[in-house]
């Protein structure tokens, strides 16, 4: 039986495993753990399971062919069916529309308390949950590198355009340039074109020849190559040009984007003089890869490392455990790697948490897909020259409207040596999004590598919910 | 011209109007407020606190807070997450959305 968030029974019982995030990683983990005998609570911010990859329209939107927007849709439908069966059997409590904002040790040793907000304003309610083990499967958000005009309406995230299309069946415009870096751009361009948009070009800052040194990792991944070929085929079919080693260096328009300027880049992503040209469009979908979403993990003190794409990811062992006993993680939180890897890691984590041996085939598949992910991450890691796209007045922090000039001044003249000091001096990263959009850019301008996510809460929490928290954790209820 | 709807087939269970700045926009049950605005060709529905520049949805997944809007009198709602419900009144948000409370 699904348990209503306000049902006190849900709050007093201690579940075996709380899985945070119902994307490929969390969904696979939850159904595998339930099959292996654990009682599981699966919490997710979204209305429906699937995460970023298996986003799909609400049933009320009446899509009869949701698979038209997906690759390998069956991998999702089989797991969703398993989720529903475990739910009906009382082995999984699935709580959609639940945003977990913190995880803290409970007073009974070896257990954890999760705090979440359920529902949408103004009807949101606080929920707590006690669990023995936690699996963080919170995925990623897009990495954005600013450029003049990137705050214009019509400039949208590449993954964001994909998400709006998959969830809501809408497009930001009719003529959409897709730009940035990473394999997601090919998927996005293919979907936008299939849904009726004209895509004049995919503008990719990296060079696909950067993959050449990685040939062994590529050859061990025929499925990935086939996926790449599918995207390549879609580009050809829709007449989309792929321009590598190019970037959008400016978006033009007054109330919305009307055109973009693209330029050729050198190997460090510095625009080459004299190569600029304009492409008219009414939207730009842009993204430079993804950033693991780690605030719950860093709040718990989990160790991190720098991934080959320059992002901060969790340090995990062979059983998907973080450095904090009792806390595991799977999917993009351990480094960007795609949906197949996320599914595999979710299953590995579930076996380990259930105390079962991890099937060797899963371990082999993870090694193969991780090698591929690392090759791709390295190829698309932003070159240092991208900051040449900025003008002094280009806003870097969208929330607090802090221009590049002020950030450079803090770094060069006021002596700020790290992004934290820049933030305190300029307010960059102090607004609503808490640096999710400008973090990588501010770090680059401050001359340091990106620091791990540090946010007190993973979403805005109404003050009255904080005020309602007991000063210490409540005593565990008797059995 | 091809559309997302043609790609996935089918039709929405219900279609109803919502109000946006005095206009009526058609919402399909299951769409978010941001989607209803995009479908109507509207890409901006707030202006920033300092520069007063227009903004709309950017990340599409609830992490950038660029899509803040006033829904039924409550400012600062993320349009990309909030479902459009029958009878909703959505208004452009200026600055913090609390101008009427300004001291
Ligand atoms: C906007 C966007 C679009 C993408 N589109 C594609 C695509 O079309 N094709 C492709 O190959 N890859 C895409 N990706 C890449 C995608 O991240 C992975 O391939 C895959 O979905 C990763 O699986 P995951 O389970 O690790 O994370 P995700 O799929 O990201 O799932 C994480 C889940 O956790 C939930 N969550 C996060 N924080 C909390 C919290 N605090 N409390 C509760 N729930 C939480 C999220 O709502 C989400 O449902 C996209 C990524 C992004 C950011
Ligand atoms: S578009 Fe980013 S939060 Fe809504």
């Amino acid at each position: 039986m699904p348990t209503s968030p306000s049902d006190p029974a849900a709050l007093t019982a201690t579940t075996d495993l709380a899985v945070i995030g119902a994307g490929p990683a969390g969904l696979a983990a939850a159904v595998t753990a339930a099959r292996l005998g654990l009682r599981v609570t699966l919490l997710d911010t979204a209305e429906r399971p699937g995460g970023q990859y298996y986003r799909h329209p609400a049933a009320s939107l009446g899509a009869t062919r949701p698979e038209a927007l997906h690759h390998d849709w069956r991998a999702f439908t089989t797991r969703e069916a398993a989720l529903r069966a475990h739910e009906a059997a009382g082995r999984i409590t699935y709580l959609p529309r639940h945003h977990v904002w913190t995880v803290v040790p409970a007073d009974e040793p070896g257990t954890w308390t999760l705090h979440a907000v359920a529902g949408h304003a103004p009807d949101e309610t606080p929920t707590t949950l006690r669990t023995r083990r936690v699996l963080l499967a919170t995925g990623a958000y897009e990495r954005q590198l600013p450029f003049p005009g990137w705050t214009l309406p019509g400039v949208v995230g590449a993954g964001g355009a994909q998400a709006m299309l998959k969830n809501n069946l809408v497009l930001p415009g009719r003529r959409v340039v897709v730009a940035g870096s990473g394999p997601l751009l090919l998927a996005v361009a293919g979907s936008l074109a299939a849904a009726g948009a004209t895509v004049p070009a995919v503008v990719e800052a990296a060079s696909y020849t950067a993959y050449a040194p990685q040939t062994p990792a590529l050859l061990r991944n025929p499925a990935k190559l086939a996926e790449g070929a599918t995207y390549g085929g879609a580009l050809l079919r829709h007449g989309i040009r792929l321009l590598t080693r190019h970037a959008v260096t400016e978006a033009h328009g007054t109330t919305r984007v009307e055109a973009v300027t693209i330029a050729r880049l050198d190997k460090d992503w510095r625009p080459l003089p004299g190569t600029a040209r304009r492409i008219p469009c009414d939207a730009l979908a842009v993204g430079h890869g993804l950033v693991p979403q780690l605030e719950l993990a860093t709040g718990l003190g989990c160790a991190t490392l720098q991934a080959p794409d320059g992002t901060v990811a969790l340090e995990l062992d062979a059983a998907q455990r973080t450095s904090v006993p009792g806390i595991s993680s799977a999917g993009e939180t351990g480094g960007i790697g795609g949906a197949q890897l996320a599914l595999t890691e979710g299953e590995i984590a579930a076996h380990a948490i259930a105390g079962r041996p991890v099937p060797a085939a899963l371990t082999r598949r993870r090694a193969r897909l991780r090698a591929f992910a690392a090759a791709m991450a390295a190829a698309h890691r932003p070159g240092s020259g991208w900051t040449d796209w900025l003008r002094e007045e280009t806003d870097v922090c969208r929330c607090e409207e802090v221009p590049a000039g002020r950030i450079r001044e803090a770094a060069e003249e006021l002596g700020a040596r790290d992004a934290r000091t820049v933030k305190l001096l300029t307010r960059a990263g102090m607004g609503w999004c808490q640096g999710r959009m400008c973090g990588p850019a501010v770090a680059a301008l401050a001359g340091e590598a990106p620091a791990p996510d540090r946010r007190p809460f993973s979403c805005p929490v109404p003050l009255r919910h904080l005020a309602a928290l007991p000063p210490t954790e409540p005593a565990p209820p008797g059995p | 011209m091809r559309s997302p709807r043609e790609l996935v087939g089918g039709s929405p269970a219900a279609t109803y109007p919502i109000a946006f700045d005095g206009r009526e926009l058609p919402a399909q049950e299951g769409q978010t407020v941001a989607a209803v605005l995009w479908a109507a060709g509207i890409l901006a529905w707030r202006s920033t606190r300092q520069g007063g520049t227009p903004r709309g949805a950017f990340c599409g997944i609830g992490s950038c807070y660029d899509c803040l809007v006033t829904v039924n009198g409550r400012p600062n709602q993320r349009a990309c997450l909030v479902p459009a419900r029958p009878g909703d009144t959505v208004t452009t948000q200026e600055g913090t959305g609390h101008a009427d409370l300004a001291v």
Side-chain angles (χ1 to χ4, degrees):
Chain A
M1 272 297 262
T3 319
S4 121
S6 51
D7 178 351
L11 313 184
T12 50
T14 302
T15 191
D16 292 328
L17 170 64
V19 176
I20 307 176
L27 183 58
V31 300
T32 307
R35 177 167 59 76
L36 298 175
L38 298 187
R39 270 183 315 125
V40 181
T41 303
L42 173 63
L43 304 98
D44 190 272
T45 318
E47 309 267 334
R48 292 177 295 287
Q52 303 303 353
Y53 190 79
Y54 296 114
R55 266 179 190 275
H56 55 283
S60 55
L61 275 167
T64 53
R65 291 188 302 273
E67 71 278 10
L69 279 166
H70 287 88
H71 196 79
D72 200 12
W73 182 234
R74 249 183 68 83
F76 171 69
T77 51
T78 50
R79 286 177 180 87
E80 194 197 14
L83 169 67
R84 301 300 173 190
H86 287 304
E87 230 187 328
R91 286 185 293 263
I92 296 184
T93 304
Y94 169 48
L95 302 174
R97 289 180 298 274
H98 276 62
H99 197 133
V100 179
W101 52 271
T102 195
V103 179
V104 289
D107 51 4
E108 182 187 325
T111 65
W112 303 90
T113 302
L114 270 58
H115 292 284
V117 247
H120 293 292
D123 309 317
E124 79 265 287
T125 51
T127 306
T128 60
L129 177 95
R130 240 145 37 83
T131 181
R132 278 181 241 289
R133 304 288 296 267
V134 177
L135 179 75
L136 301 169
T138 49
Y141 51 87
E142 275 189 291
R143 170 159 61 192
Q144 295 294 348
L145 301 179
F147 51 89
W150 78 305
T151 56
L152 271 176
V155 177
V156 301
Q162 178 87 330
M164 291 282 281
L165 175 58
K166 285 181 174 179
N167 259 13
N168 293 285
L169 308 177
V170 290
L171 296 169
R174 303 299 319 178
R175 194 176 152 82
V176 190
V177 172
V178 176
S181 194
L184 180 58
L185 300 184
L186 304 179
V188 172
S191 308
L192 295 176
T198 302
V199 179
V202 173
V203 185
E204 162 64 61
S207 143
Y208 275 88
T209 55
Y211 283 47
Q214 316 291 348
T215 309
L218 299 183
L219 293 180
R220 272 185 285 118
N221 284 277
K224 281 284 178 189
L225 287 183
E227 195 179 329
T230 310
Y231 294 140
L235 297 196
L236 279 179
R237 206 164 50 250
H238 295 290
I240 302 171
R241 269 181 311 163
L242 172 61
L243 296 165
T244 56
R245 258 198 198 161
H246 276 75
V248 166
T249 53
E250 181 160 9
H252 309 273
T254 44
T255 56
R256 63 173 292 170
V257 60
E258 288 157 16
V260 294
T261 291
I262 65 166
R264 248 188 91 75
L265 304 179
D266 71 10
K267 66 177 181 7
D268 295 323
W269 292 28
R270 200 164 279 110
L272 293 167
T275 62
R277 64 199 150 101
R278 246 168 127 104
I279 305 181
C281 59
D282 60 4
L284 168 66
V286 61
H288 295 86
L290 303 172
V291 185
Q293 176 142 317
L294 301 185
E295 58 260 11
L296 295 175
T298 51
L300 283 160
C302 300
T304 58
L305 45 74
Q306 202 187 107
D309 55 6
T311 61
V312 177
L314 290 181
E315 200 180 299
L316 302 171
D317 70 7
Q320 301 294 135
R321 286 180 294 230
T322 71
S323 64
V324 175
I327 310 287
S328 303
S329 185
E332 309 286 46
T333 41
I336 302 309
Q340 286 171 349
L341 179 59
L343 291 167
T344 307
E345 291 190 346
E347 289 172 5
I348 291 174
H351 279 87
I353 292 169
R356 303 296 182 89
V358 176
L362 288 181
T363 305
R364 275 199 306 273
R365 195 184 318 147
R366 177 182 52 194
R368 182 164 57 68
L369 290 167
R370 270 278 162 224
F372 183 83
M376 218 150 55
H380 294 279
R381 181 186 179 117
S384 58
W386 74 264
T387 52
D388 281 17
W389 305 338
L390 299 170
R391 287 202 286 259
E392 292 294 283
E393 71 279 11
T394 308
D395 274 339
V396 169
C397 170
R398 299 172 70 95
C399 301
E400 295 293 313
E401 298 167 81
V402 185
R406 284 239 302 284
I407 295 171
R408 286 188 168 130
E409 181 193 44
E412 287 158 20
E413 281 159 42
L414 305 178
R417 304 224 180 281
D418 56 30
R420 209 182 101 80
T421 313
V422 168
K423 174 170 154 176
L424 294 173
L425 287 170
T426 65
R427 294 196 57 81
M430 301 250 263
W432 273 100
C433 88
Q434 289 285 294
R436 284 182 180 84
M437 294 302 118
C438 67
V442 172
L445 290 172
E448 65 165 12
D453 279 353
R454 296 229 183 276
R455 297 182 189 96
F457 311 124
S458 77
C459 66
V461 179
L463 274 178
R464 65 196 143 84
H465 296 170
L466 292 180
L469 286 183
T472 54
E473 290 306 316
Chain B
M1 205 177 333
R2 208 180 158 110
S3 69
R5 171 63 67 192
E6 275 169 38
L7 180 64
V8 300
S11 59
T15 303
Y16 38 78
I18 67 166
F20 171 69
D21 284 354
R23 288 167 65 181
E24 250 187 25
L25 304 180
Q28 300 178 0
E29 186 180 346
Q31 283 184 325
T32 60
V33 167
V36 173
L37 294 165
W38 273 25
I42 299 165
L43 287 172
W45 48 81
R46 85 172 172 105
S47 55
T48 58
R49 280 175 293 145
Q50 289 150 46
T53 56
R55 298 278 176 87
F58 180 62
C59 75
I61 61 166
S63 31
C64 75
Y65 295 81
D66 242 330
C67 65
L68 297 177
V69 73
T70 301
V71 183
N72 300 325
R74 270 183 65 111
N76 297 320
Q77 306 302 303
R78 278 174 284 175
C80 70
L81 298 183
V82 179
R85 299 201 180 89
D88 276 350
T89 300
V90 176
T91 42
T92 302
Q93 172 166 327
E94 282 174 28
T96 60
H98 291 286
D100 45 340
L101 305 177
V103 281

